[in-house]
Structures are given as structure tokens and as C-alpha cells.
Amino acid sequence: MDIRSQFPILNQTVYGKPLVYFDNAATTQKPQCVIDTLCNYYKSLNSNIHRGAHYLASQATEQYEQTRRKVKEFINARHSHEIVFTRGTTESINLVASSFSQRFISKGDEVVVSAMEHHSNIVPWQLACERQGATLRVIPFDDQGILDLDAFAALLNERTRIVAVTNVSNTLGTVNPIAEIIRIAHSREIPVLVDGAQAISHRKVDVQQLGCDFYCFSGHKMYGPMGVGVMYGREELLEQMPPYQGGGEMIKDVTFERTTYNELPFKFEAGTPAVGDVLGLGTAIDFISQIGIGTIAATEKELTDYATGQLQQIEGLRIYGTAPDKTSVISFLIGNAHPYDVGTLLDKLGIAVRTGHHCTQPIMDRYGIPGTVRASFAVYNTRDEVDTICAAIRRIAPMLQ
Ligand code: PLP
């Protein structure tokens, strides 16, 4: 199967140059099958789900719930009702931070995050800590971008209520030892939320094997549509947590005196969901499964190793994030050039990279830099494209001094 040809957007020129799309950590492109699912949904199936007494509603509901079962299989959750559809990782983490903290965090308690978190896994916890009178504690990382597990273990105490940590850093590419982190936290009966936004399309995720309590990810970073994501939560915890938003679907009975809530997962799915996008996510899972996550990981590793070797040969180029276990993310700076200038010049040569702090300002503070240039690869990228960016950097480097 030719993977690249399934992505129509890649087959175009920008500024008269063939598009080289290296901004996959921000969002991946979508294969034709996902685009077809979205189109077909709106062409022939569009209908509000659950409670509908007509054909389209029951078909849409069936496919929506079937996708929930598909997600359950994909991450090997124990139950389908542990899969909650959200708008994305950000909403998934906000849901947990808000709901979990109301139930389990009180004044004087502590929440542990790492210094390499995306702002989406920092700010919701800061808000929760502010509301509940709790304190945020932070796991440091070293120059290579490796978390300090001794410091982590030392941070935990009888007031620690939850650990929230990323599976893979979107800026450094580091694959964190999540299983070990969960083991350490669980040995003290502390639940763990894993931000899986940058892992889900690169590594096999098995939530039962990991033993994590929450696992959050976005559809659009795994070849699926924007506007849909997943919050996996362990049933025992979800049962005890209050609703996140109020509205349709999440209730059992409403009176002005007292409202009772729906069962899982509907308790956490207030309002009309993005049905078409959920179905598109299902097709993205099929797409990944057909290639095989192992093949994807191997292809990306081969390309990342090649790109790292090539980039390292460029004079004055420094890579940030050199952990031995990395996904396909390379953050770098060239001499004293501002990352934005590098990104702008590369753009004019048809190369899409991301520049700035990548929503990880604490990482930039740790290294004392304003930001980086980030090239991130997906399964459809090629060695030729890596050669193109290396040639482009060599060409623009003199303009940047
Ligand atoms: N967490 C990580 C590690 C990310 O890389 C991102 C997005 O870049 C997010 C969370 C937020 O994802 P979203 O914007 O899809 O909610």
C-alpha cells in the first residue's frame, strides 16, 4: 500500500515548491478514507444521536457507539464506557482536572506534573489547585530531556492526590518511562493521568498493561479529524467523579428540586457530540491498524535517525532533546538565529515547520532559549524531504548570521 498517495493535501506546491510538511506534531494530515468518512456522514447519515426514533438517528447512534468500541479495542480498555469522547486532549485533561479535583483534592493537597508538560497539562491543574487550595509540584528533567525519576519519587508524599505526566514530549520527543512512573505512583496509591497526545499515533498504547488511571489524546494528531478526542478513565474513578458539564444526554432525570445523572460514559458527554468527527476518528484508527503501529514506529524511527544524523552535520545547528528513546520530533536552533526567522525562510522554500515555545514555556525556560524550530515527522514523510530541509537550512544559514 502506498501510504503517501492516500494524503491528497501532500500533493501540492506552495510558493511554487513541492510542499514538505514537517509539522505533524501540531497536526497530522488526513488520508482520503478519513475525508470520505466525513463527507459520507454529512451526505447520507447526519442526524443527532441517541433518543432519535428514526432511521438516520439509529444508524448514526450505532456507528458512534461502534466507534467507541473501536477506541476501546485500540487502547485495550476494559470497558467501552471508560471511553469518553471530547473535543481533544485539552478538553480531556480539563475534564479530569476539574471533575477529579472536586471529588478528590482539597486544601493542602498536592498535584505532581513534569517540567516538560504541554500547557494543556499544566494550566488545568493550576486552575484546579487554585480552586481547591492545593499546590502544584514539578518533576525536573536533565539536559538531554530525561525526567529525573529519583526526584519524582521524592516529590510524592501522603498529600499527593494525582500525577499528570506526558507519555511523549511534543517539544523534545522524549518517550517518558510511563510504566515506571505509574508503578512508583501506584505503590503509594496515587492515580496517574497520562497525556497521550504525542504518543497515540507513534506507539502501541495499552491502558490495561500500563495500568494508568486516565489516558487522553486527540484525533487530529493521529490522522483523524480536528474537534474530537478521547478521555479514557478507569471505571472505579469515573463512577466517583461528578459531571464536568451539565446539559443534554448527561442526565437521567431533571426536576428543579434535584437532577440525577446518566450512567457512564454519558455522564461526561453533555450536549450534541461531533458525531461525524467521531466516525472519522474510527476510520483513522482503521488506517493506523491497517499499516500497523509497529510499522509506523519503525518507519518514523528510521527517518528520525537519518534526519538527526544529517542535521547534526550542519555547522552551528544544536538539537534540543537527545534522549535515547524518542519519537519523530527534532527541535533545533541554528547559531544565534531566532527560530521564527528560520521558520519563515523555510516556509518560503515550501517547508512547513513549527517555531516558538510549542506551548511548553517551562522547557524553554529550562534551556534559557526563546523557542526552537521543530521538525516532526509522520509515516508519510520521506528521506528526500529530509534532504530538502537540510539543503534549505544550508542555503538560508548565511542569511541568518
Ligand atoms: N499535550 C501535548 C503533549 C500536545 O502536544 C498537545 C498539542 O500539541 C496537547 C496536549 C493539546 O492537544 P489539543 O490541542 O489537540 O487539545
mmCIF file of all heavy atoms in Angstrom, residues 25 88-91 118 120 166 168 170 195 197-198 218 220-221, ligand 1:
data_model
loop_
_atom_site.group_PDB
_atom_site.id
_atom_site.type_symbol
_atom_site.label_atom_id
_atom_site.label_comp_id
_atom_site.label_asym_id
_atom_site.label_seq_id
_atom_site.Cartn_x
_atom_site.Cartn_y
_atom_site.Cartn_z
ATOM 1 N N ALA A 25 3.595 17.109 14.561
ATOM 2 C CA ALA A 25 3.307 17.077 15.998
ATOM 3 C C ALA A 25 2.181 18.063 16.319
ATOM 4 O O ALA A 25 1.464 17.896 17.305
ATOM 5 C CB ALA A 25 4.554 17.413 16.805
ATOM 6 N N GLY A 88 -10.839 16.995 22.342
ATOM 7 C CA GLY A 88 -9.404 16.791 22.134
ATOM 8 C C GLY A 88 -8.707 16.614 23.466
ATOM 9 O O GLY A 88 -9.338 16.598 24.534
ATOM 10 N N THR A 89 -7.387 16.485 23.412
ATOM 11 C CA THR A 89 -6.601 16.267 24.628
ATOM 12 C C THR A 89 -6.856 17.363 25.658
ATOM 13 O O THR A 89 -7.007 17.094 26.856
ATOM 14 C CB THR A 89 -5.092 16.259 24.279
ATOM 15 O OG1 THR A 89 -4.883 15.385 23.183
ATOM 16 C CG2 THR A 89 -4.264 15.819 25.455
ATOM 17 N N THR A 90 -6.892 18.601 25.181
ATOM 18 C CA THR A 90 -7.060 19.732 26.102
ATOM 19 C C THR A 90 -8.354 19.590 26.890
ATOM 20 O O THR A 90 -8.367 19.738 28.120
ATOM 21 C CB THR A 90 -7.057 21.058 25.317
ATOM 22 O OG1 THR A 90 -5.825 21.136 24.589
ATOM 23 C CG2 THR A 90 -7.188 22.255 26.232
ATOM 24 N N GLU A 91 -9.429 19.286 26.175
ATOM 25 C CA GLU A 91 -10.700 19.146 26.889
ATOM 26 C C GLU A 91 -10.683 17.915 27.797
ATOM 27 O O GLU A 91 -11.230 17.947 28.902
ATOM 28 C CB GLU A 91 -11.881 19.061 25.923
ATOM 29 C CG GLU A 91 -13.197 19.152 26.678
ATOM 30 C CD GLU A 91 -14.405 19.183 25.764
ATOM 31 O OE1 GLU A 91 -14.630 18.208 25.016
ATOM 32 O OE2 GLU A 91 -15.134 20.182 25.802
ATOM 33 N N HIS A 118 3.062 19.940 28.131
ATOM 34 C CA HIS A 118 2.367 20.928 27.300
ATOM 35 C C HIS A 118 1.520 21.785 28.244
ATOM 36 O O HIS A 118 1.056 21.297 29.285
ATOM 37 C CB HIS A 118 1.472 20.154 26.324
ATOM 38 C CG HIS A 118 0.836 20.970 25.254
ATOM 39 N ND1 HIS A 118 -0.280 21.752 25.480
ATOM 40 C CD2 HIS A 118 1.125 21.106 23.940
ATOM 41 C CE1 HIS A 118 -0.643 22.331 24.339
ATOM 42 N NE2 HIS A 118 0.201 21.951 23.390
ATOM 43 N N SER A 120 -1.358 22.419 28.142
ATOM 44 C CA SER A 120 -2.649 21.741 28.371
ATOM 45 C C SER A 120 -2.615 20.787 29.542
ATOM 46 O O SER A 120 -3.676 20.366 30.026
ATOM 47 C CB SER A 120 -3.042 20.920 27.134
ATOM 48 O OG SER A 120 -3.362 21.757 26.089
ATOM 49 N N THR A 166 3.214 13.565 30.695
ATOM 50 C CA THR A 166 3.050 13.256 29.284
ATOM 51 C C THR A 166 3.767 11.963 28.906
ATOM 52 O O THR A 166 4.853 11.680 29.415
ATOM 53 C CB THR A 166 3.524 14.441 28.403
ATOM 54 O OG1 THR A 166 3.029 14.238 27.081
ATOM 55 C CG2 THR A 166 5.040 14.588 28.346
ATOM 56 N N VAL A 168 4.794 11.343 25.789
ATOM 57 C CA VAL A 168 5.862 11.786 24.891
ATOM 58 C C VAL A 168 5.856 13.313 24.873
ATOM 59 O O VAL A 168 4.795 13.927 24.754
ATOM 60 C CB VAL A 168 5.620 11.262 23.457
ATOM 61 C CG1 VAL A 168 6.598 11.888 22.478
ATOM 62 C CG2 VAL A 168 5.720 9.742 23.400
ATOM 63 N N ASN A 170 6.080 16.836 23.296
ATOM 64 C CA ASN A 170 5.848 17.375 21.949
ATOM 65 C C ASN A 170 7.004 18.250 21.485
ATOM 66 O O ASN A 170 7.149 18.512 20.299
ATOM 67 C CB ASN A 170 4.548 18.180 21.911
ATOM 68 C CG ASN A 170 4.566 19.384 22.825
ATOM 69 O OD1 ASN A 170 4.846 19.261 24.012
ATOM 70 N ND2 ASN A 170 4.282 20.554 22.302
ATOM 71 N N ASP A 195 -0.911 12.139 29.475
ATOM 72 C CA ASP A 195 -1.219 12.915 28.280
ATOM 73 C C ASP A 195 -0.622 12.148 27.094
ATOM 74 O O ASP A 195 0.596 12.108 26.916
ATOM 75 C CB ASP A 195 -0.601 14.313 28.424
ATOM 76 C CG ASP A 195 -0.730 15.138 27.146
ATOM 77 O OD1 ASP A 195 -1.127 14.585 26.101
ATOM 78 O OD2 ASP A 195 -0.423 16.346 27.199
ATOM 79 N N ALA A 197 -1.204 12.707 23.831
ATOM 80 C CA ALA A 197 -1.378 13.414 22.545
ATOM 81 C C ALA A 197 -0.280 13.077 21.538
ATOM 82 O O ALA A 197 -0.553 12.900 20.358
ATOM 83 C CB ALA A 197 -1.429 14.925 22.783
ATOM 84 N N GLN A 198 0.962 12.961 22.024
ATOM 85 C CA GLN A 198 2.087 12.757 21.105
ATOM 86 C C GLN A 198 2.520 11.298 21.039
ATOM 87 O O GLN A 198 3.530 10.984 20.404
ATOM 88 C CB GLN A 198 3.282 13.621 21.527
ATOM 89 C CG GLN A 198 3.036 15.099 21.420
ATOM 90 C CD GLN A 198 2.843 15.570 19.976
ATOM 91 O OE1 GLN A 198 3.267 14.926 19.030
ATOM 92 N NE2 GLN A 198 2.184 16.705 19.815
ATOM 93 N N SER A 218 -5.907 13.229 21.196
ATOM 94 C CA SER A 218 -6.674 13.990 20.194
ATOM 95 C C SER A 218 -6.732 13.216 18.885
ATOM 96 O O SER A 218 -5.717 12.638 18.460
ATOM 97 C CB SER A 218 -5.983 15.327 19.878
ATOM 98 O OG SER A 218 -5.811 16.094 21.040
ATOM 99 N N HIS A 220 -6.963 14.559 15.877
ATOM 100 C CA HIS A 220 -6.285 15.228 14.759
ATOM 101 C C HIS A 220 -4.779 14.983 14.717
ATOM 102 O O HIS A 220 -4.135 15.302 13.712
ATOM 103 C CB HIS A 220 -6.576 16.738 14.785
ATOM 104 C CG HIS A 220 -5.891 17.475 15.885
ATOM 105 N ND1 HIS A 220 -4.702 18.128 15.696
ATOM 106 C CD2 HIS A 220 -6.206 17.653 17.194
ATOM 107 C CE1 HIS A 220 -4.335 18.696 16.835
ATOM 108 N NE2 HIS A 220 -5.224 18.419 17.762
ATOM 109 N N LYS A 221 -4.215 14.432 15.790
ATOM 110 C CA LYS A 221 -2.777 14.119 15.774
ATOM 111 C C LYS A 221 -2.546 12.661 15.369
ATOM 112 O O LYS A 221 -1.428 12.165 15.414
ATOM 113 C CB LYS A 221 -2.156 14.389 17.145
ATOM 114 C CG LYS A 221 -2.117 15.886 17.498
ATOM 115 C CD LYS A 221 -1.417 16.100 18.807
ATOM 116 C CE LYS A 221 -1.678 17.469 19.396
ATOM 117 N NZ LYS A 221 -0.967 18.553 18.729
HETATM 118 N N1 PLP B 1 -0.498 17.618 25.031
HETATM 119 C C1 PLP B 1 0.518 17.517 24.163
HETATM 120 C C2 PLP B 1 1.752 16.755 24.550
HETATM 121 C C3 PLP B 1 0.415 18.113 22.911
HETATM 122 O O1 PLP B 1 1.428 18.013 22.035
HETATM 123 C C4 PLP B 1 -0.767 18.820 22.580
HETATM 124 C C5 PLP B 1 -0.887 19.530 21.294
HETATM 125 O O2 PLP B 1 0.081 19.894 20.671
HETATM 126 C C6 PLP B 1 -1.786 18.879 23.518
HETATM 127 C C7 PLP B 1 -1.614 18.273 24.736
HETATM 128 C C8 PLP B 1 -3.064 19.586 23.222
HETATM 129 O O3 PLP B 1 -3.761 18.919 22.213
HETATM 130 P P1 PLP B 1 -5.063 19.562 21.570
HETATM 131 O O4 PLP B 1 -4.685 20.943 21.133
HETATM 132 O O5 PLP B 1 -5.386 18.649 20.438
HETATM 133 O O6 PLP B 1 -6.113 19.567 22.612
#
